[in-house]
Structure formats: C-alpha cells, structure tokens
C-alpha cells in the first residue's frame, strides 16, 4: 500500500507540506505584482494539491521498476518520461485553472501566465516529480532492507524453534527409557515398590508434559519437577541417594529453559550414585550474581569407571539447546576428576516479566 495514504499522520503532514507550498507560490505571485493575495491563494491552493496528488504517483512508478531488476538506462528513461508528463500535466492545469478563475472573477485580478511563467511552472513540476521519484526510490530501497531483515529474523526464529524441537525429541525418550528400566528392575525385587513407583512416575510424566512445550519456566517449577523425580529415585536407591539443594532466595523467580536441571540429576544418579557401593550426595547450587544465573551440579564418581547403557542426556545437546535460546549469552562447562563430576551453567538472569538484562 502507498506509504503516505496508509498512514494518517504521514498523510496529514504531506497535505500540510503542499499547503505551505501553495502559500509560497501565492507569495511569489504577489511579490512579482502578478495578482493580489486573495486571487493568488485561489489560484495556488488547487494547483498545489493537484501537484501533491500527481507527485504521490511517483511511488508506483518506482515500484514498477524493482531496484534489483532494472538497468540504469531504462530507469533513467522511465523517470525522465514520467517527470516530463508530470511537468506538462501541471502546466496544463495551471493554464486551465487560470482560465476558470478569469471566467468567474474580476479579470483585473487574474494571473496572466506568460511564456516565462509557463516555463517556470513546467520546470517546477518536472523537478518536483523527479525529486519525488528519487525520494520514493530511496524509501523503497530502505523498506526492502527492513523487510529482508524481518524475514531473516523470522527465519532465525523458525530455525531456532526447529532446533529446539529436535533437541527435545532427543531428550524426551531418555526419561521414558530409564523409567521403564527402573520399574522393570523393581518388579522382580519389590512389587509394591514397583506399583508405588509407577504411580509416582505417572505424576512425574504428567508434569513434564505440562512444561515440556514451554520455552521458559520458573526455577520453582523446575525444582518441583526435580523433587518429584527424586521421590521416584528414592524408592529405587533408598538411603544410597542423598541430595543437597542450595538455592539463593533471589534466584527462585528466575526463568530457565524447561527440563535442564532434572536430566542432570538423572545423569548424576546414573553415572555416579548408582556405581558407588555406599552411594553419595548430589549437590546442587543455584545463585544469582551480576545479573547472571549460575547453576552447578556436583556428584561423586566411582574410581573405577563403569559401563552404562542408554541414550544419556548428551552434554553437547545441552550446549546446543543453550546456544539456540541464548546465542553467545550463555555458558555450559564441566570438569571431571577421579572422585567427582562438576557441571556449571551460566545464563542471563530473567524474571517473570520476561525482561532480560545482560552483564
């Protein structure tokens, strides 16, 4: 749609500009003793508004010649031809309107359009239309750049969402795989515990389904998910499994991607606690500092590495997921010794108002 007609404010400014041009034309006519103010305004206002209407058509001329598909010679020919037609049309209107005013008013006040004045009107109409063509051409070029940037941003968003869906599809089966293994093992040992665990797992998966499709959830929701998960694992490991949470009060309302902490606890149990005869304690530390949210998960390891099966979380997937959400504004690192494994995450601190501030 036309950029002037589609915006009321632009339209009013455009009309106001041409009214000022009408006053300027009238002032020049009066200054050269060609007529009085009343007649000058009667003459200049209609021809100025017509010129404004005529000049607005320059936008469609520019649109008919896409910048990336035109040649300089064709553009120059079209632009000059359009400006020439505009100048002649405006000159014709000036002569015609002058005759109409002569017919309905006192001839002594009429503007006598001499050859010199005709040339001046023609050159003015030609120049104004040519300037309008150049102005609209620049506007269209910048509008195309903005549109390309919007399309690129939309493409990046779609690519990010697609990547997140792929990563989630790789992570989600991991929960079901290990859960079924746990139930299978408990069935042969303690049928009542297996039944209790099945019910608990149903509650756990119900919660995961509620939050899995969200891009961000509160830290409180993630911790509640972790508590439900650990309640299930407690049935399996008993006193062998210990957990210590250290969560700073100011970090409780932070927004984080869903299901980033629970799978880390699952990995800590699978690759750490499960392989220790006496078990151990998983330590989770969460705090906010300098507008960043820091999460650390530490678990003990067996001195003798044990083989394990299953999909696993995939720390590289975790990094990719963070990059898809935060770009370079997040960090996932880990280190392993003979006795423990430590994973640390840092991400921009966001609160419920979804306003993020970076360090």
């Amino acid at each position: 749609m036309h950029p002037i007609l589609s915006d009321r404010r632009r339209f009013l400014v455009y009309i106001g500009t041409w009214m000022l041009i009408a006053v300027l034309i009238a002032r020049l006519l009066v200054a050269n003793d060609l007529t009085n103010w009343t007649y000058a305004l009667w003459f200049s206002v209609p021809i100025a508004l017509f010129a404004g209407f005529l000049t607005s058509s320059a936008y469609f001329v520019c649109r008919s010649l896409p910048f990336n598909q035109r040649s300089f010679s064709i553009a120059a020919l079209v632009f000059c031809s359009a400006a020439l037609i505009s100048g002649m049309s405006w000159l014709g209107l000036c002569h015609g309107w002058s005759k109409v005013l002569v017919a309905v008013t006192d001839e002594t006040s009429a503007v006598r359009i001499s050859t010199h004045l005709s040339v001046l009107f023609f050159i003015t109409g030609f120049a104004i239309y040519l300037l309008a063509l150049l102005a609209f051409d620049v506007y269209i070029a910048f509008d195309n750049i903005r549109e390309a940037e919007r399309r690129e941003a939309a493409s990046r968003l779609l690519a990010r969402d697609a990547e997140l869906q792929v990563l989630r599809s790789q992570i989600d089966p991991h929960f079901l795989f290990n859960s079924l293994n746990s139930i299978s093992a408990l069935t042969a040992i303690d049928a009542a515990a297996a039944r209790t665990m099945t019910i608990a797992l149903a509650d756990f998966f119900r919660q995961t389904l509620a939050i899995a499709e969200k891009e961000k959830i509160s830290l409180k929701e993630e911790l509640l998910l972790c508590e439900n998960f650990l309640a299930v694992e407690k049935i399996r490991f008993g006193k062998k499994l210990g957990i210590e949470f250290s969560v700073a009060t100011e970090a409780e309302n932070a927004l984080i991607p869903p299901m980033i902490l629970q799978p880390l606890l699952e990995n800590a149990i699978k690759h750490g606690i499960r392989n220790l005869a006496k078990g151990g304690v998983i330590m989770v530390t969460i705090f906010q500092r300098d507008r960043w949210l820091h999460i650390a998960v530490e678990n003990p390891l067996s001195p003798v590495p044990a083989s394990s099966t299953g999909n696993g979380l995939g720390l590289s997937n975790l990094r990719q997921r963070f990059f898809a959400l935060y770009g370079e504004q997040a960090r996932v690192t880990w280190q392993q010794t003979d006795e423990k494994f430590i994973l640390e995450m840092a991400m921009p601190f966001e609160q419920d108002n979804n306003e993020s501030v970076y360090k």
Side-chain angles (χ1 to χ4, degrees), residues 35-343:
T35 186
N36 57 46
W37 266 105
T38 301
Y39 190 92
L41 290 174
W42 273 105
F43 175 77
S44 63
V45 170
I47 66 171
L49 292 178
F50 175 78
F53 171 78
L54 193 64
T55 302
S56 65
S57 66
Y59 172 77
F60 299 105
V61 176
C62 295
R63 294 288 296 183
S64 67
L65 290 172
F67 191 79
N68 57 350
Q69 300 177 12
R70 71 173 64 157
S71 66
F72 177 78
S73 57
I74 294 178
L77 177 62
V78 172
F79 281 15
C80 289
S81 299
L84 180 65
I85 294 172
S86 175
M88 293 177 65
S89 299
W90 197 48
L91 176 60
L93 176 72
C94 291
H95 278 282
W97 183 237
S98 176
K99 291 180 180 180
V100 170
L101 290 179
V102 167
V104 298
T105 61
D106 183 8
E107 291 190 15
T108 59
S109 300
V111 174
R112 304 298 177 181
I113 302 180
S114 61
T115 302
H116 175 76
L117 197 57
S118 296
V119 172
L120 183 61
F121 279 140
F122 172 77
I123 293 175
T124 301
F126 180 90
I128 289 177
Y129 198 86
L130 191 60
L131 289 174
L133 285 167
L134 297 176
F136 279 124
D137 211 32
V138 172
Y139 172 84
I140 292 172
F142 278 104
D143 189 56
N144 289 338
I145 292 174
R146 289 193 297 268
E147 182 62 29
E149 291 175 346
R150 286 193 291 267
R151 287 197 298 268
E152 183 180 357
S155 297
R156 286 199 301 267
L157 182 61
L158 290 174
R160 187 200 70 178
D161 290 342
E163 184 174 2
L164 286 176
Q165 290 300 325
V166 170
L167 293 174
R168 283 172 177 166
S169 69
Q170 295 172 351
I171 295 172
D172 291 345
H174 173 258
F175 301 133
L176 182 59
F177 180 83
N178 281 348
S179 299
L180 291 176
N181 278 346
S182 299
I183 293 174
S184 176
L186 282 175
T187 301
I189 301 172
D190 189 340
R195 182 177 181 277
T196 302
M197 186 174 183
T198 302
I199 296 173
L201 280 172
D203 293 336
F204 169 72
F205 280 114
R206 188 178 297 111
Q207 187 180 4
T208 62
L209 290 174
I211 68 172
E213 296 304 317
K214 296 181 181 179
E215 183 174 304
K216 300 283 179 65
I217 63 173
S218 68
L219 179 61
K220 289 181 179 179
E221 289 180 278
E222 182 76 10
L223 291 175
L224 179 59
L225 180 69
C226 292
E227 289 177 5
N228 293 336
F229 168 75
L230 292 171
V232 173
E233 293 297 83
K234 276 286 189 180
I235 299 174
R236 180 182 175 189
F237 292 99
K239 295 181 179 180
K240 186 177 178 180
L241 173 61
I243 184 76
E244 291 184 5
F245 281 96
S246 176
V247 182
T249 304
E250 65 272 13
E252 290 181 352
N253 293 324
L255 291 177
I256 62 173
M259 293 186 294
I260 61 167
L261 184 56
Q262 180 274 329
L264 295 179
L265 296 177
E266 188 171 358
N267 260 20
I269 294 172
K270 177 181 178 181
H271 300 292
I273 303 300
R274 189 180 69 174
N275 301 321
L276 295 170
K278 295 182 179 181
V281 178
I282 301 173
M283 300 182 64
V284 178
T285 305
I286 305 176
F287 62 93
Q288 184 264 339
R289 178 187 296 167
D290 295 329
R291 300 180 180 179
W292 286 81
L293 182 68
H294 297 267
I295 300 176
V297 179
E298 178 181 337
N299 62 271
L301 292 175
S302 172
V304 181
S307 60
S308 62
T309 59
N311 294 329
L313 171 65
L315 297 178
S316 60
N317 279 356
L318 182 62
R319 273 183 170 168
Q320 291 177 46
R321 191 177 178 199
F322 267 50
F323 181 79
L325 286 167
Y326 299 108
E328 299 295 333
Q329 297 286 348
R331 184 179 72 252
V332 179
T333 59
W334 57 83
Q335 55 181 323
Q336 180 176 336
T337 66
D338 292 338
E339 298 181 350
K340 62 183 177 180
F341 182 86
I342 303 174
L343 184 140

